[in-house]
Amino acid sequence: MSRRAELADAAISTLARDGMRGLTHRAVDRAAGLPEGSASYYFRTRQALLQATVERLAELDSTDMPPGTGMPPGTGLPAPSGQDLDAFAAAAARIVESWLTSGRERQLARYELALEATRRPELRQALVASGATIRAMVASQFAAAGVRQPGQRAADFVAFLDGLLFDQIAGAGARELTSADLRAAIRALLASVTGCRDDGAT
C-alpha cells in the first residue's frame, strides 16, 4: 500500500469517527501512526485531502465488486434479465451487506463528504465522478439485458440502493434487514426499476 493510500485510509477512519470537523492533517497523521506533517506533505490543502479521500473510497468500492459477486474481475454484476434476476439481486445484496458491515466506516465517511459537498462545488464534482463508475457498470448490465433507457434506470437503481444503505446505517428506521431481507428488497426494487420479469421480458 502506498503512503498516500495509507493516509487516505486514515482520513476515512477519522471522518467516520470524528466527523468533518475532526478531519485535520494532524488528526490523519495520528490515525495513521505517522510523524506529524506527513499528511500535509502529501496533501498540501484541505481540498487535496478531501479529494484523495473521495478517490480512495471509489477505489475501495471498486475492489469490492468482483469478490462480492463471485464473478471474475472486470465482469461486475450479471445482466438482470429473466432467470438472472435472482442472481443479480443476490450479487447486489452481497455487496450492500458488505457495505453495511465491514464497509460501514466507509459509508459514514461518504455521508460526511456528501454533506460537505453541498458547500464545496469542487468536492461535489469529485463525488459525482466517483459515483459515475458504479452507475456506468450497472447501466452496461442493464443494456446487455435489453432494459430500456439503461442509463436512467441504472441511476434510479443506484439511488434507491443509496437510500437503503442510508436507512440502515443512519436513518430513523428501527428494522435491521437480514441477508434474506436484503435479497428480497433488492429483487423487488430491481424488477420495478428495470421492468424485468421472471420470463425474461422487459
Side-chain angles (χ1 to χ4, degrees):
M1 178 188 299
S2 71
R3 182 56 52 87
R4 291 177 65 89
E6 184 179 1
L7 286 164
D9 285 346
I12 291 170
S13 297
T14 301
L15 275 173
R17 183 183 63 250
D18 301 326
M20 189 61 67
R21 293 183 64 180
L23 182 69
T24 65
H25 286 83
R26 288 184 178 181
V28 171
D29 289 337
R30 289 194 296 270
L34 295 172
E36 187 174 312
S38 297
S40 61
Y41 175 80
Y42 286 93
F43 312 112
R44 300 299 299 173
T45 65
R46 182 174 179 81
Q47 175 58 30
L49 179 60
L50 293 174
Q51 176 80 26
T53 305
V54 170
E55 292 172 356
R56 180 61 173 163
L57 284 169
E59 179 184 352
L60 291 170
D61 285 349
S62 67
T63 62
D64 281 346
M65 294 297 175
T69 61
M71 306 241 168
T75 60
L77 297 167
S81 60
Q83 63 184 12
D84 289 332
L85 195 63
D86 284 329
F88 188 101
R94 285 194 294 272
I95 294 170
V96 170
E97 188 170 19
S98 74
W99 288 346
L100 289 172
T101 52
S102 60
R104 185 175 186 274
E105 183 178 73
R106 281 151 48 193
Q107 302 310 311
L108 290 172
R110 183 175 285 106
Y111 298 150
E112 291 286 342
L113 289 165
L115 288 173
E116 183 69 8
T118 64
R119 298 175 287 272
R120 289 175 176 259
E122 65 277 15
L123 183 58
R124 171 67 178 166
Q125 291 175 3
L127 282 170
V128 169
S130 69
T133 301
I134 291 178
R135 286 172 171 79
M137 183 200 71
V138 175
S140 69
Q141 296 304 310
F142 282 5
V147 174
R148 299 183 184 91
Q149 298 179 310
Q152 181 59 54
R153 294 196 178 183
D156 291 341
F157 181 68
V158 173
F160 289 140
L161 287 187
D162 281 344
L164 178 63
L165 277 165
F166 184 86
D167 182 67
Q168 288 294 291
I169 292 175
R175 182 189 178 198
E176 292 187 8
L177 298 180
T178 65
S179 297
D181 291 334
L182 282 173
R183 287 194 301 273
I186 292 173
R187 191 190 189 289
L189 171 61
L190 185 64
S192 176
V193 168
T194 65
C196 290
R197 304 198 304 268
D198 289 337
D199 60 6
T202 59

